[in-house]
Amino acid sequence: MSSISTLNADLHCHSVVSDGTLTPEELAERAYANGVRLWALTDHDELGGQARAKVAAKALGMDYLSGVEISVTWMGQTIHIVGLGIDAEHAVILEGLRHTREGRSNRAQMMADQLLKVGIPGAYEGALHFAGNHQLISRTHFARFLVEQGVCRDTEHVFKNYLIEGKPGYVPHQWAKLDDAVAWIKAAGGVAVIAHPGRYKFNAMQMDELFKHFKHIGGVAIEVITGSHSPDQYKTYGKIAQQYGFLASRGSDFHDPHESHIDLGALPHLPDHLTPVWSLFQ
Ligand code: AMP
Ligand code: MN
Ligand code: MN
Ligand code: MN
């Protein structure tokens, strides 16, 4: 068989429903044109794009898994848990995500208050404009506003100088609990995946505890090949997947053609000694 590892699966990206700039249909077309044959849209804390993404994928003859990326607070830090193969209409996960989104508007107003204090007015309205009709307002929308205002050259520079801990516009936030997020995903019939583990600022002991605890509560996979990892991290997290007995996932984390340096479907394949998370769905 053309090995399952070399399937062009892209199981992590964002649409206008969260903080991406393309519609679910535009993403489906772009993914397919780039060679993706198994796709998942994983908007932050939102399932509002799932029906459209699935219809668009099917129309192109591309396999689809319903997905989500849930914001979680664990040991005082924000981590992201991807859910794949979920029932996007399941009441348990819909309610959990609704609750997770609730604090965003208030947080955004506090972020804008801080930005005003460093001489940047109108950030709440500005970010809301970038968020469009969708209820989900995120730091990415603020970042785009700051670029538009000429405060920073690009969103990368925004996230170095604003909106992160210790910088103006950072507001600590309590997201979902890890155990709850995994439970919602399981209740909706999906599998839970730790997104971009290389991005977290935990020490080795905390990472060990995260992996063990995640496994204990029924988490099954980690992202190994992601737009957030360096080639060295592909190796590191490949080894970790084997060591802890996790399946491996692959996803670009694509948000926008100009902002994202890795396009849909453009990452290296999963190494063939790892078991892909999509083996569960074939
Ligand atoms: P929020 O969920 O509102 O905290 O926003 C988080 C989003 O901000 C992430 O999903 C990324 O899209 C974006 N983001 C966070 N850190 C960075 C960074 N260093 N560079 C670019 N985008 C970032
Ligand atoms: Mn994002
Ligand atoms: Mn993420
Ligand atoms: Mn993401």
Side-chain angles (χ1 to χ4, degrees), residues 101-120:
R101 288 194 302 271
E102 249 169 19
R104 278 187 179 270
S105 179
N106 203 21
R107 169 194 188 229
Q109 266 152 9
M110 293 196 281
M111 288 166 63
D113 290 346
Q114 282 194 25
L115 292 170
L116 179 62
K117 285 189 188 129
V118 296
I120 305 165

Side-chain angles (χ1 to χ4, degrees), residues 69-274:
E69 180 175 24
I70 306 180
S71 310
V72 162
T73 303
W74 189 77
M75 286 206 184
Q77 282 193 45
T78 301
I79 66 169
H80 287 167
I81 302 296
V82 164
L84 296 173
I86 52 177
D87 168 2
E89 282 160 24
H90 197 284
V92 168
I93 193 162
L94 285 171
E95 176 57 20
L97 295 178
R98 191 194 57 72
H99 190 250
T100 305
R101 288 194 302 271
E102 249 169 19
R104 278 187 179 270
S105 179
N106 203 21
R107 169 194 188 229
Q109 266 152 9
M110 293 196 281
M111 288 166 63
D113 290 346
Q114 282 194 25
L115 292 170
L116 179 62
K117 285 189 188 129
V118 296
I120 305 165
Y124 181 74
E125 295 71 21
L128 213 51
H129 173 75
F130 278 98
N133 296 328
H134 307 278
Q135 318 106 329
L136 191 135
I137 184 161
S138 84
R139 284 186 293 159
T140 313
H141 301 119
F142 280 85
R144 291 182 186 137
F145 170 71
L146 294 187
V147 172
E148 182 197 57
Q149 294 297 298
V151 175
C152 290
R153 160 152 50 103
D154 54 30
T155 54
E156 195 116 334
H157 279 82
V158 175
F159 280 104
K160 282 205 180 96
N161 299 294
Y162 298 89
L163 315 181
I164 57 171
E165 204 170 339
K167 305 284 179 180
Y170 177 75
V171 174
H173 194 76
Q174 213 44 46
W175 299 108
K177 293 192 174 75
L178 177 59
D179 292 36
D180 290 344
V182 172
W184 302 335
I185 291 166
K186 284 166 64 181
V191 299
V193 183
I194 299 178
H196 41 62
R199 261 171 59 173
Y200 309 133
K201 306 275 179 277
F202 295 119
N203 64 33
M205 262 172 61
Q206 292 170 315
M207 285 307 287
D208 177 64
E209 184 159 349
L210 173 61
F211 293 132
K212 284 187 178 143
H213 183 71
F214 181 68
K215 178 125 200 173
H216 175 71
I217 60 178
V220 305
I222 64 171
E223 288 184 345
V224 172
I225 306 290
T226 132
S228 295
H229 284 173
S230 65
D232 272 352
Q233 288 175 319
Y234 300 158
K235 292 201 191 101
T236 305
Y237 292 97
K239 281 192 198 129
I240 283 177
Q242 288 188 298
Q243 186 186 332
Y244 289 87
F246 286 127
L247 303 179
S249 193
R250 173 182 189 263
S252 56
D253 209 353
F254 182 83
H255 286 71
D256 170 82
H258 304 290
E259 282 169 23
S260 302
H261 37 208
I262 304 276
D263 207 335
L264 284 156
L267 286 163
H269 291 305
L270 269 191
D272 60 13
H273 60 276
L274 300 177

